[in-house]
Amino acid sequence: MSDTSAPPTASEPIRVFILDDHEVVRRGVRDLLEAEEDIVVGEAADARQALARVPAARPQVAVLDVRLGDDAGGDHAGIEVCRELRARMPELVCLMLTSFDDDEALFDAIMAGASGYVLKQINGADLVSAVRTVASGTSMLDPRTTARVMARLRGGPGPGEARPAEPEQPSVLDRLSPREREILELIGEGLTNREIAERLYLAEKTVKNRISAILSKLGVGRRIQAAMIAGRLRERSS
């Protein structure tokens, strides 16, 4: 049986599916990607179409507009599509594309399992690079938004902001060993695997294996999701 979660090889095309309710944007992104010899593209104009067509198309990457004006989910309808598609197709990677610099949408997208989040102001070459990055299995976030996520995780909500919902339950942390909790805390501080290894006097490979176990126990698929959980735990304990 073949492994559908493996990234495409050099001889295989990268299958991409675009969801955007603006035809000009959708066609523009499609033309940009189809100009690449190794990328094939499908598309949908709304959430209903995407949920029907993506499972049949079996893309490696879904490029999803965050806001779909005609869908019930409104401002974050694309994120709900991401959540639903990831539940049906765990091997699918989602790249969120938006015109709006929205922290809450960014956090929601990460928790929905998105591998990347970029603004539509991105230039064409960088968008193609982002698609290739997530198709290879590497998480990718726009540098400007990454910095804000980590700052918020360290400092909690800004003035006048509501405290975020807490999806994790105390029992979830009971699954972690003391050492895993320590590593989770360092992930929340934004440390790399190498920095964690140096801090705890562990081999970098050991840290990598521990982080894989932590993600599994927390029921999340992305390191940044674990960092968000760590940040919220810090807020609760302060």
Side-chain angles (χ1 to χ4, degrees):
M1 180 180 296
S2 61
D3 181 3
T4 57
S5 66
T9 66
S11 62
E12 297 175 332
I14 300 172
R15 298 186 305 277
V16 180
F17 197 96
I18 303 165
L19 167 60
D20 197 301
D21 60 332
H22 292 93
E23 182 179 5
V24 171
V25 174
R26 188 173 70 252
R27 294 294 178 84
V29 174
R30 178 168 190 155
D31 290 347
L32 176 71
L33 295 176
E34 286 187 332
E36 302 292 311
E37 293 184 355
D38 61 337
I39 296 178
V40 295
V41 184
E43 66 177 66
D46 58 43
R48 179 186 58 79
Q49 290 179 354
L51 292 173
R53 295 176 183 176
V54 170
R58 305 301 297 179
Q60 281 101 7
V61 180
V63 179
L64 307 174
D65 187 10
V66 169
R67 299 189 179 193
L68 304 172
D70 294 335
D71 281 301
D75 286 353
H76 291 183
I79 295 173
E80 293 308 311
V81 173
C82 173
R83 194 186 315 277
E84 177 66 23
L85 289 176
R86 290 274 302 159
R88 297 186 193 180
M89 305 168 60
E91 72 279 8
L92 177 69
V93 293
C94 296
L95 178 66
M96 309 308 299
L97 187 63
T98 181
S99 300
F100 303 94
D101 202 4
D102 182 344
D103 281 353
E104 292 306 317
L106 170 62
F107 301 149
D108 288 349
I110 292 170
M111 295 310 291
S115 297
Y117 186 105
V118 295
L119 300 178
K120 288 183 179 178
Q121 292 90 324
I122 192 172
N123 66 47
D126 287 343
L127 179 57
V128 172
S129 177
V131 168
R132 293 187 183 281
T133 296
V134 296
S136 73
T138 303
S139 293
M140 181 266 173
L141 291 172
D142 183 281
R144 292 171 294 178
T145 54
T146 301
R148 292 207 314 276
V149 170
M150 297 313 299
R152 179 156 178 178
L153 290 176
R154 295 187 183 106
E161 291 182 308
R163 296 181 70 85
E166 297 175 3
E168 74 284 346
Q169 300 295 328
S171 59
V172 172
L173 291 184
D174 292 341
R175 304 172 191 171
L176 304 183
S177 69
R179 177 63 90 184
E180 288 170 341
R181 291 193 190 196
E182 192 173 10
I183 291 174
L184 177 62
E185 179 67 23
L186 296 177
I187 291 173
E189 292 179 14
L191 272 63
T192 64
N193 286 5
R194 177 172 295 182
E195 290 168 337
I196 293 172
E198 292 173 353
R199 179 79 64 88
L200 300 180
Y201 303 101
L202 296 171
E204 191 172 347
K205 183 176 180 180
T206 299
V207 171
K208 181 178 179 180
N209 291 339
R210 293 269 191 161
I211 290 174
S212 294
I214 290 168
L215 297 181
S216 177
K217 290 179 180 181
L218 292 178
V220 298
R222 312 288 180 195
R223 184 190 185 97
I224 190 68
Q225 292 172 298
M228 292 181 74
I229 290 174
R232 289 170 180 175
L233 290 172
R234 192 179 305 112
E235 292 172 19
R236 284 169 47 180
S237 62
S238 62

